[in-house]
Structures are given as C-alpha cells and as structure tokens.
C-alpha cells in the first residue's frame, strides 16, 4: 500500500510538472506570438434569418505556433488575460479586423458590420475608448460598422461600464452582449445599458428541441424585440434550428450550418457568392 502511495505521488508530481511546464511554454510562446506574426483572424458570417443575406461577421482569433501547433482561443485567451498580453493582442485584433472590414465594404460598396470580442481587462483600460477611436481613424472605417461584443462580466459593474458604453455609443460604435443567458446578468441590465445587439448563447440553441429551452429562446427574442435590440442566435448547426428561429422573429443567426469561421480569403469568396446577383 505504501509503494502504491509513493507511485501515485510520483505520478501526480510528474503530471503537475507537465502542467506547469505546459503553461510556461504557452506563456513564453504567447509573449512572442505578436512579433512573430503567429496570429490570424478568422471570420464567421452573421446572417439575416429572413433573407439569408450576410449582415456582418465576427472576427475570431487563431494562434498558429511552430512548436505548439494550433492553439484554440479557449486555451490561450484566459492566459492572455492573466498576463495582460490581451491588451496588445486585443489592439492587434481590433486594428486588423477593422482594416479588413473596410476593404470588404469598399469591395462590395455597401456597409458591413464587423464584430470584435472584447475582454474585460481590455475594456477596463483607461484609454480603451481612445484605442477604439484611433483604430477607426487609422482604418477610416465608419464607427457604425464596428460592433464590440461585450460579456456579462464586463457589464457586471455598471458604475464603471455605463459611462464607457455611453462614450462608445456617442462615437457611433455598436455594442453587443455576448453569450446572453449564461451569466448572472439580470433583465434590468438590458434596460439600462445602451446595447444594440443581444447574442443568444449556443447552449440554448443546442437544446431548443426541449420545451423549456425553447421557452427561454422565445423569451429572450421577444424581450430583445420589445427593447428594440437586434437579436442573433449563436451556434446554429441544423436546418431544424434555423426553421424554428425563422418562426420566432429572430433577426440573425451565426453557426456551422451557414459557415464555420474561415480565413479572410475564404470569407471574401463567400461574400462574393452570397452578395453577387
Ligand atoms: P465566442 O465569442 O462565444 O465565439 C463563438 C465560438 O463558437 C467560436 O469559437 C466559434 O468558432 C464557435 N462557433 C460558432 N458557430 C458554431 C457552431 O455552429 N457550432 C459550434 N460547435 N461552435 C460554433 P472559437 O473561435 O474557438 O472562440 C472561442 C472563444 O474565444 C470566443 O467565444 C471568445 O470568447 C474567445 N475569442 C475568440 N477570439 C477572440 C478575440 O479576438 N478576443 C477575445 N477577447 N476573445 C476571443
Ligand atoms: Ca463573441
Ligand atoms: Ca458567444
Ligand atoms: Ca429585432
């Protein structure tokens, strides 16, 4: 029994060491990723339910490291937040996404919305609104073409968040509440924040075939509509889900059914096929 205990202990420490080593190499890699040009943005279309037209796209970051391979955002974004690296990474994302959106707007000669995910730490920086302003100036993108996707954790502190949201609104920037329904946000939030869009979390869409989840989706949509918010369903994977949403006054959807997030060249051909006569 003693020997087993010892082995278990060794096994445990080996595991721990590996975990720590992994995290350290991840952090080391992350520190050099920007200068080494290892980040790339993928784009996922946001599609009007009624017409099937592409109204905009969400920019989603990808990290390709020669040693680590492709690291999914769920694995490195938390570390980027922990280390503060999300600040320069977030600036890069916003600049790159707006630059790309401007190109596509010029190509199509019509407005197209670009949605950018914002981390709480980014939003909390005293110069956050300045950063947004500068990006818009540099890229010459209209403020009304940029939508910032905020999480419930950001709006959890209304005293801090509200003035910043108002400043962004005054600039003309669109604000969206991401992953709606998963956090602790209360309905009173929705009323007091200057939001433009509500994104229904994939979790509810996944379970829409259950009566209770469908009821939640119905409630969110009717609430969004009465507050005059644009409502987007996330993670739509099946035609059944889309058909169900079509009967619910849901404005837009996003999901693998229409397209996964794709590199910019691929998104561009998608834009050309969908929007050409
Ligand atoms: P999110 O903002 O909720 O983004 C939606 C995620 O769902 C994306 O995962 C997207 O690829 C995935 N998705 C979209 N449609 C479907 C579908 O039909 N089925 C399934 N199974 N998945 C779908 P991704 O790209 O891995 O990003 C994960 C999360 O990482 C994002 O969740 C967001 O919180 C964060 N993230 C991604 N890019 C950025 C960024 O540039 N900045 C920040 N701060 N966070 C980011
Ligand atoms: Ca998002
Ligand atoms: Ca989301
Ligand atoms: Ca609506």
């Amino acid at each position: 029994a003693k020997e087993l205990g010892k082995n278990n202990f060794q096994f445990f420490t080996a595991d721990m060491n590996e975990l720590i080593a992994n995290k350290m190499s991840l952090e080391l890699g992350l520190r050099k990723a920007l200068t080494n040009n290892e980040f790339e943005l993928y784009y996922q279309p946001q599609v009007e339910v009624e017409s099937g037209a592409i109204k905009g796209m969400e920019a989603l970051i990808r990290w390709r490291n020669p040693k680590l391979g492709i690291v999914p955002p769920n694995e490195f974004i938390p570390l980027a937040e922990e280390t503060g690296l999300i600040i320069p990474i977030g600036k890069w994302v916003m600049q790159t996404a707006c630059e790309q959106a401007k190109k596509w707007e010029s190509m199509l000669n019509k407005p197209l919305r670009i949605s950018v995910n914002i981390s709480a730490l980014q939003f909390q920086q005293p110069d956050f609104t300045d950063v947004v302003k500068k990006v818009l100036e540099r890229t010459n993108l209209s403020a009304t073409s940029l939508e910032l996707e905020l999480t419930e954790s950001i709006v959890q502190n209304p005293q801090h968040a509200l003035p910043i949201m108002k400043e962004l609104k005054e600039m003309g920037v669109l604000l969206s509440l991401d992953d709606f329904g998963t956090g602790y946000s209360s309905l009173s939030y929705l009323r007091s924040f200057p939001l433009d869009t509500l994104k229904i979390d994939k979790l509810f869409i996944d379970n829409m075939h259950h009566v209770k989840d469908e009821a939640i989706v119905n409630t969110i949509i009717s609430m969004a509509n009465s507050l005059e918010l644009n409502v987007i369903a996330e993670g739509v994977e099946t035609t059944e889900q889309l058909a169900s949403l079509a009967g619910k006054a849901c404005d837009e959807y996003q999901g693998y059914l229409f397209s996964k997030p794709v590199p910019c060249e691929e998104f561009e051909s998608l834009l050309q096929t969908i929007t050409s006569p």
Side-chain angles (χ1 to χ4, degrees), residues 58-74:
E58 178 175 1
L60 293 153
I61 195 168
R62 296 293 179 259
W63 178 22
R64 208 172 286 120
N65 180 276
K67 279 191 204 133
L68 303 165
I70 294 176
V71 189
N74 285 334

Side-chain angles (χ1 to χ4, degrees), residues 41-219:
L41 291 185
Y42 275 34
Y43 299 89
Q44 188 178 36
Q46 298 178 327
V47 184
E48 191 166 56
V49 172
E50 206 174 86
S51 66
I54 297 177
K55 306 297 280 186
M57 56 275 165
E58 178 175 1
L60 293 153
I61 195 168
R62 296 293 179 259
W63 178 22
R64 208 172 286 120
N65 180 276
K67 279 191 204 133
L68 303 165
I70 294 176
V71 189
N74 285 334
E75 276 173 39
F76 74 84
I77 293 286
L79 186 62
E81 286 167 343
E82 212 178 290
T83 54
L85 288 166
I86 193 67
I87 306 301
I89 295 172
K91 283 181 189 168
W92 177 85
V93 169
M94 204 185 297
Q95 171 70 30
T96 308
C98 289
E99 228 170 73
Q100 191 58 63
K102 182 68 192 178
K103 279 185 199 157
W104 286 332
E105 279 194 342
S106 311
M107 183 186 91
L108 297 175
N109 199 23
K110 69 168 197 195
L112 202 60
R113 191 186 58 222
I114 178 79
S115 296
V116 175
N117 290 289
I118 303 296
S119 281
L121 189 68
Q122 251 182 302
F123 188 84
Q124 284 158 11
Q125 299 304 298
D127 67 344
F128 181 68
T129 53
D130 290 335
V131 169
V132 176
K133 216 173 280 173
K134 279 201 193 104
V135 166
L136 291 173
E137 275 165 19
R138 270 202 300 263
T139 58
N140 207 20
L141 184 76
S142 149
T144 52
S145 289
L146 173 62
E147 185 157 75
L148 304 180
E149 295 200 357
L150 311 178
T151 56
E152 294 185 344
S153 71
I154 290 181
V155 297
Q156 230 165 41
N157 179 359
Q159 264 127 320
H160 176 255
L162 202 52
I164 299 166
M165 289 172 85
K166 282 183 175 154
E167 197 180 334
L168 291 164
K169 277 319 303 169
E170 272 159 30
M171 288 162 56
V173 172
L174 305 172
L175 301 176
S176 145
L177 191 55
D178 205 354
D179 307 334
F180 185 72
T182 55
Y184 293 100
S185 79
S186 65
L187 303 184
S188 62
Y189 270 9
L190 290 183
R191 207 170 55 83
S192 52
F193 287 119
L195 289 167
D196 299 278
T197 302
L198 210 60
K199 297 189 78 177
I200 309 174
D201 195 82
K202 178 179 188 301
L203 196 75
F204 303 112
I205 307 302
D206 280 345
N207 295 311
M208 231 181 357
H209 55 280
H210 295 306
V211 182
K212 285 181 181 170
D213 292 274
E214 189 179 12
I216 294 175
V217 172
N218 287 339
T219 306

Side-chain angles (χ1 to χ4, degrees), residues 196 221 224-231 249-252:
D196 299 278
I221 292 172
N225 281 328
S226 51
L227 292 168
E228 293 181 313
L229 298 174
N230 186 33
V231 55
C250 179
D251 300 300
E252 296 174 32

